[in-house]
Amino acid sequence: MPCSLLILNGPNLNLLGTRERDIYGQETLEEIISRCSAYADKAGITLEARQSNHEGDLVEWIQQARGVHQGIVLNAGAYTHTSVAIRDAIAAVDMPVIEVHLSNIYRREEFRHVSLISPVAEGGIYGLGAQGYLLAIEALAARFALKN
Amino acid sequence: MPCSLLILNGPNLNLLGTRERDIYGQETLEEIISRCSAYADKAGITLEARQSNHEGDLVEWIQQARGVHQGIVLNAGAYTHTSVAIRDAIAAVDMPVIEVHLSNIYRREEFRHVSLISPVAEGGIYGLGAQGYLLAIEALAARFALKN
Amino acid sequence: MPCSLLILNGPNLNLLGTRERDIYGQETLEEIISRCSAYADKAGITLEARQSNHEGDLVEWIQQARGVHQGIVLNAGAYTHTSVAIRDAIAAVDMPVIEVHLSNIYRREEFRHVSLISPVAEGGIYGLGAQGYLLAIEALAARFALKN
Amino acid sequence: MPCSLLILNGPNLNLLGTRERDIYGQETLEEIISRCSAYADKAGITLEARQSNHEGDLVEWIQQARGVHQGIVLNAGAYTHTSVAIRDAIAAVDMPVIEVHLSNIYRREEFRHVSLISPVAEGGIYGLGAQGYLLAIEALAARFALKN
Amino acid sequence: MPCSLLILNGPNLNLLGTRERDIYGQETLEEIISRCSAYADKAGITLEARQSNHEGDLVEWIQQARGVHQGIVLNAGAYTHTSVAIRDAIAAVDMPVIEVHLSNIYRREEFRHVSLISPVAEGGIYGLGAQGYLLAIEALAARFALKN
Amino acid sequence: MPCSLLILNGPNLNLLGTRERDIYGQETLEEIISRCSAYADKAGITLEARQSNHEGDLVEWIQQARGVHQGIVLNAGAYTHTSVAIRDAIAAVDMPVIEVHLSNIYRREEFRHVSLISPVAEGGIYGLGAQGYLLAIEALAARFALKN
Amino acid sequence: MPCSLLILNGPNLNLLGTRERDIYGQETLEEIISRCSAYADKAGITLEARQSNHEGDLVEWIQQARGVHQGIVLNAGAYTHTSVAIRDAIAAVDMPVIEVHLSNIYRREEFRHVSLISPVAEGGIYGLGAQGYLLAIEALAARFALKN
Amino acid sequence: MPCSLLILNGPNLNLLGTRERDIYGQETLEEIISRCSAYADKAGITLEARQSNHEGDLVEWIQQARGVHQGIVLNAGAYTHTSVAIRDAIAAVDMPVIEVHLSNIYRREEFRHVSLISPVAEGGIYGLGAQGYLLAIEALAARFALKN
Amino acid sequence: MPCSLLILNGPNLNLLGTRERDIYGQETLEEIISRCSAYADKAGITLEARQSNHEGDLVEWIQQARGVHQGIVLNAGAYTHTSVAIRDAIAAVDMPVIEVHLSNIYRREEFRHVSLISPVAEGGIYGLGAQGYLLAIEALAARFALKN
Amino acid sequence: MPCSLLILNGPNLNLLGTRERDIYGQETLEEIISRCSAYADKAGITLEARQSNHEGDLVEWIQQARGVHQGIVLNAGAYTHTSVAIRDAIAAVDMPVIEVHLSNIYRREEFRHVSLISPVAEGGIYGLGAQGYLLAIEALAARFALKN
Amino acid sequence: MPCSLLILNGPNLNLLGTRERDIYGQETLEEIISRCSAYADKAGITLEARQSNHEGDLVEWIQQARGVHQGIVLNAGAYTHTSVAIRDAIAAVDMPVIEVHLSNIYRREEFRHVSLISPVAEGGIYGLGAQGYLLAIEALAARFALKN
Amino acid sequence: MPCSLLILNGPNLNLLGTRERDIYGQETLEEIISRCSAYADKAGITLEARQSNHEGDLVEWIQQARGVHQGIVLNAGAYTHTSVAIRDAIAAVDMPVIEVHLSNIYRREEFRHVSLISPVAEGGIYGLGAQGYLLAIEALAARFALKN
């Protein structure tokens, strides 16, 4: 069965590469997604990527992933620390979600140290920059390979 | 005067009956609303029901209820625990709001034990499943009967 | 099978209607119980009601309800916030308990925002005045109807 | 160089002058903005004003202000206390933001005492009613005058 | 109008003079009450004194004081720190209550530093030994003299 | 001198063996006490056992133990976590008290992790089921043997 | 030996009777002191009274009381809740200090519920208005009578 | 009626312009006050300015402002975070007080995030440097203009 | 099957009987172990005892007990309050562990009131001195007798 | 330049595959390391792996890695949550460290939610089982490739 | 360049040697200063010493030390734990300050465990009695020797 | 009697002078110890110095110091904040221990602000670099001189 993954990015990640580059790196979101696609293509994985600054959009995209995708790579950005709604959406869909953070959130403000997403995610990766997305895709791919 | 009520449902409640049934029960949101409508019809109450995963939608629907409805039955879902905006909207409209939760939120994660809605609601019902909606409608109906 | 319910009231509720009427309403406890009985009669439900200012009495009445009643409507008053003993009694008897509070406890002092009863109750109703008792009886009745 | 400012208002501020007038004052948002415009006109400042109940809208408007406006006057309303996403948007755009609150938030509920916006704002004004907007415009104008 | 006062003593105060004398002093409760009576007699005040180790007894005695006594001197002992029920009883009866503690509770264990009674009492006296009772009677007497 | 011990059991312990057997074990309180008596008889120890759901009863029985018994085995049940009055009674009587808990209270709800009794008890035993009572008797017996 | 007492009043108490009369009463500080003096005269007690808005003044007056006065009646006002220096001064002088508060500080803001003075005071009186001063003098007088 | 305002500055503000200029700016306190006076003169406002490192001085100057000035601009410096006495003085005088902070106190140490002054101030301005004083004067002037 | 038990003692317990005898008693660790061995011999139990000041040693000894011993008596000393590693070792081996403390840890510093061991131990004994070890052995012996 | 990595494993990880398999997975530590070596070989990376239950060993191995290895993959096990010493060692060596956890530590006990290692690590991976080690090696490899 | 140091002592330190000698030692402040002077003389250091019970005095003396002294030895006494104003004064003057405490403040009340001074001091000495002053002078002397 | 002192250094202090020199200074541990020895030699003091990264080593060295040394200079490094075992060892040996920290731990991470060692140490020195060791030796020398 071909594997399809969804990459979701939360608020302000559309600004990547154009703001606070010392924290978030030089690449734009488009460049990162493009790298992910190239990577996925080689592995025979279909990839869809979306970004929104609206909490409700992320909730709905997670809901709609059921039956369409086999896993989600989620960088919920600022909503990581405040959104019970996204957490509930993840708990509701029966699908592995891998949490990704570009920066090392544990070196930043106290309120960024707690993620509401982590307890419902399968696992997560922090502080490894754009490569975190690639590793997350690889992890999901390995997981499905194992099952098939 | 005919009585009109608004039933508002927050994030992920559109998934009712299709996810985590041991927590939230077997009925879909449509079935619950349908039961509510049948109940309201008998009591001569007009009913309107809406659901959104967007915090801002709920804020606006509460604002617009003034002059249109006489009361609101609100299950704010995950926003119960995070939305000061919905709380402020309730405080701003001069209308009784009854808070409903399908599950017993006090048996779940710590962060679900605090509701930002409760202090501005007229009252509330938790843990009685879909029947909570019917009881809330009944409570509002009784209240208006008393006033008329 | 005929259904029998027990209504238990905790400390100071014997003063209802005679004290702090702006918080607790105009009706005396006798008048509320009387309304409950009328309601129960129509529904073919047997009702027994007791009040005590002693924590130990409430513990024992809950214990003794086993095999005699099918459900309990409990307004534990001040003991709601301090009694682990009542909580344990509820957990020990295999019977649905519905928690009722006349006032909106979430608008009052901080220490009234936490109920030790809620996590062991089936569900609860707050802030709807004396009608909360009627709704609780209705909820238990519906539950038993469902089972029979 | 002509100066252009953006005034952003968050949830429920569209109800100004029609709700809780003892807290928020008698003027509608339109009237306040109109006063601001008159004030700005005299000072040769271009003004644009927007309001939304959606967190994501505010995030996006702040993002889009880069290159268009020289400063932002922000009353984030209820999102002041809950939105890390708006905070991140402010941190991401290289532009002075002045936080305004109509009421004295330190006299109100505990949860309104902490602003997630303040640490990333240039400065702020609270409790001075609609005049707070005018003073914020004046502060930004003075700042740009200084630079030119 | 003749003035009648009620002196209530809570758990373990029946052991006064026989236990932990370095903390609570040498006098028995009987001796203290006897001193109070002599003092009251001179001032033309009727005095009734009761002690119980049962929280519910104290709740009921406070309830029954209405219409019988004009004020209460209350040493709730250990229940000072745990009884919301006694607090509610005081709030329910329209009568001045003066809180008395023999020892300086602020030099003792942390949990004795908070009194649930204080916010509903008229005032209080701590750390002045048995004389605290006399001063409380004097305070109530002065208060009634003022009113008459 | 013949040794006499008092075994006190608090609220809901009269239900032992009939409720929540996975937590509290299969034996009834009568069976446990009977085992204790047999054990005591062999060791020439007189044993008296009481149970009450009333905090005040436990306070009084502890007070009355002075001059009658040489030690107390106390399972205060739910009052372990809420009763300052029982704590004060123990501090007031000059007699070793050994605290017993059938279950491992540290594996249960957070509020059961703190005992108000422990700091005034001689020592304690938790999580060893009914055998905890026998070990407590043995500990007191050994202690008195040492002194005689 | 003739007894001499010092009455110390802290910040803002010089405004008594002229500000916030619903909280602090109608009498000016002069009138209260005058009542105290009359009372003391009858009892053969010498009285000295001082007020300052400076923490350092209060520290020094307490230090200087040694060898001059036999006891201190102290209403430290706002410094009650913030001054470790006054606390240390009290601990340093070997003399009974009675803490007085005109209002019931436990009904006011949270930060007024904790007194740094209480643990080093002999005892204290709260919420009994100006009479609190008289009762404190009486308590010290009785104490010295007892010793002589 | 001519308007007279009092500008009060707390501890260490006498060092302005000579210390930590990156935090507090380049101007000395004299220069700021001088700018304020020029501004006030134009608006027909009388201005008096004082600075002290003594908490008691600030308390007394606030007390003495009654009947002399119509409003106070207060930068309490370090006492903002520790002085209940200044807070009480503000509450005691019936006069609008506007709190000013030169720096953005919310970007600094945690203990500077809480102001004891804010809840009793009319409003406040932070992080706008010396201009904050001018805006505060303007706000008070507008307020009095409104009333006259 | 012959029963073999392991007694483990943590840091500083090698000093028993030679330091702080008022807290820990007069016996040396050797004397206690010797008493335990005599007791075990009679009961046909094999006993091995070890002590270490190194957290890692205790972790390894617990790991190695699998298949060699049937139960562990553990006094982890200071590591009780800080070692997640020992806790994990206990959770990893499928064997009953009984926690022993010589002193009443609940009468000592706050940080000694929490044990990381208790939630993974079968049960525990505190404050009964060296006898606690004997009782723990007895408890394990009884447990195995029951199973055989 | 050939790349050499060090894989360090903390307490109890030597039991992998033999204990609590539902949490930590089926593979032994040897099998995981063996998979890592195969993976590293292909990528031309030298790998050294060590495990210890002693905090001090881990501290020393990290110290000694300087000049020998180019990066560290660290699963500090239980010491993750308690060891400031390991944290300091990481901060002292100028070398990227990637934190790995087999399980999702955010679904487990509260005390496992905080890592003392994270703020000094380059980044981390949790909840992805043994694959987490492979991804960490890949991340370090990519990093060095980038630099060369 | 000759070195000049300032020794500042806070509230109640003028009582040294005359109060609580078990905590603070037998020497008077004069004797300690005298020892310091003798010590300084030998080292060719000029010494000035001051004591005040007024927070504002300490603030001003620290301010005035600039350009006059090269370092400060500060025992702020009770103000150590409450004075942000002294902390700010230290931060404002560009001069090394060494904090001295006669007693071991970490063995005393909880509120004495936190020093507002420490984070802005160069370093500090606690619990070494009057010798702490000498060591602080020595440390400053060594520091200046190093620089010259 | 000749005086012998033990200098103990905890984890990572073997890296001194080679890591994070801005925090810990330029000298290696060998150089510091060498300076200490020279200093001790002059004063006729015997010195022994040890360093370990193992908590258990430090515990044992402290235990073994009894009868061999007269005092200990202890820089426990990271174990300062986590080791109850070292604290207990200090409490167990009857010998003055002086705590030394090279850096100002109160300017660093929050978790470094609390020392478990301080309450059992005689006194301590922080933030004075390597000189702190010399001052500690001097303090102990002075102390023994005083006694002899």
Side-chain angles (χ1 to χ4, degrees), chain I residues 37-104:
Chain I
S37 294
Y39 183 96
D41 273 1
K42 282 193 213 153
I45 297 169
T46 305
L47 213 68
E48 185 182 346
R50 295 190 182 169
Q51 187 274 337
S52 177
N53 297 314
H54 291 263
E55 186 179 7
D57 288 346
L58 294 164
V59 168
E60 283 165 5
W61 291 339
I62 293 167
Q63 289 183 4
Q64 295 161 1
R66 286 191 303 176
V68 181
H69 303 289
Q70 278 78 51
I72 299 176
V73 175
L74 172 64
N75 181 347
Y79 292 141
T80 301
H81 317 295
T82 63
S83 177
V84 174
I86 293 175
R87 176 193 180 115
D88 283 359
I90 295 171
V93 300
D94 188 20
M95 186 180 306
V97 173
I98 299 200
E99 184 186 16
V100 171
H101 296 290
L102 290 163
S103 66
N104 183 336

Side-chain angles (χ1 to χ4, degrees), chain B residues 103-121:
Chain B
S103 66
N104 183 336
I105 54 176
Y106 303 105
R107 287 192 187 157
R108 304 179 63 193
E109 300 97 327
E110 183 87 18
F111 64 80
R112 288 194 216 271
H113 296 190
V114 174
S115 162
L116 288 170
I117 306 299
S118 296
V120 292

Side-chain angles (χ1 to χ4, degrees), chain A residues 39 98-99 104 106-107 113 115 117-128 131 135-136 138-140 142-143, chain J residues 39 98-99 104 106-107 113 115 117-128 131 135-136 138-140 142-143:
Chain A
Y39 183 96
I98 299 200
E99 184 187 16
N104 183 336
Y106 304 105
R107 286 192 188 157
H113 297 190
S115 161
I117 306 298
S118 297
V120 292
E122 172 106 353
I125 296 166
Y126 74 87
L128 300 179
Q131 197 187 12
L135 297 177
E138 188 176 340
L140 285 168
R143 189 189 141 107
Chain J
Y39 183 96
I98 300 200
E99 184 187 17
N104 183 337
Y106 303 105
R107 285 191 189 158
H113 297 190
S115 161
I117 306 298
S118 297
V120 292
E122 172 106 355
I125 296 167
Y126 74 87
L128 299 180
Q131 197 186 15
L135 297 177
E138 187 175 342
L140 285 169
R143 190 190 140 106

Side-chain angles (χ1 to χ4, degrees), chain F residues 81-96:
Chain F
H81 317 295
T82 64
S83 177
V84 176
I86 292 175
R87 177 193 179 114
D88 283 359
I90 295 172
V93 300
D94 189 19
M95 186 181 306

